[in-house]
Amino acid sequence: MARVTEEQVEAVRALVAAIPPGTVSTYGDIAEVAGLSSPRIVGWIMRTDSSDLPWHRVVPASGRPAPHLATRQLERLRAEGVLATDGRVPLREYRHIF
């Protein structure tokens, strides 16, 4: 993976913080707006620096959370009014447009 700058980390953090309750964004959406070459960079930043952010509002492009996070993430989203169908968030309904 290419070197990640502090500016890129802060851009991702700001975008995640800007996702309103009741909506979600994908790693790819965030990467595109932040000018990053890959959604994987967003994933890396989220893994290393997102404990104080609404991390649960970021989902993969499939809308299906990672298995190890699914229960907790879907519960948090449900509390905000985001309802999953068969474990998948319907992006057409809940996707935040930056």
Side-chain angles (χ1 to χ4, degrees):
M1 180 171 64
R3 179 167 157 72
V4 177
T5 67
E6 188 63 31
E7 291 80 20
Q8 291 169 322
V9 170
E10 290 308 313
V12 167
R13 288 180 51 78
L15 289 167
V16 173
I19 303 168
T23 64
V24 298
S25 186
T26 68
Y27 293 97
D29 293 341
I30 295 167
E32 183 178 337
V33 174
L36 301 174
S37 61
S38 171
R40 290 176 186 259
I41 297 170
V42 175
W44 180 85
I45 292 169
M46 294 293 294
R47 276 192 310 278
T48 59
D49 192 19
S50 69
S51 63
D52 61 333
L53 295 173
W55 61 268
H56 59 284
R57 297 181 190 146
V58 182
V59 296
S62 67
R64 189 176 303 280
H68 69 286
L69 295 174
T71 300
R72 198 166 86 195
Q73 188 168 13
L74 292 175
E75 284 174 356
R76 286 183 176 210
L77 289 172
R78 188 177 317 111
E80 294 182 353
V82 176
L83 304 177
T85 303
D86 295 324
R88 182 181 305 232
V89 175
L91 295 176
R92 283 188 177 157
E93 188 172 346
Y94 296 108
R95 182 180 240 152
H96 173 68
I97 305 300
F98 290 101

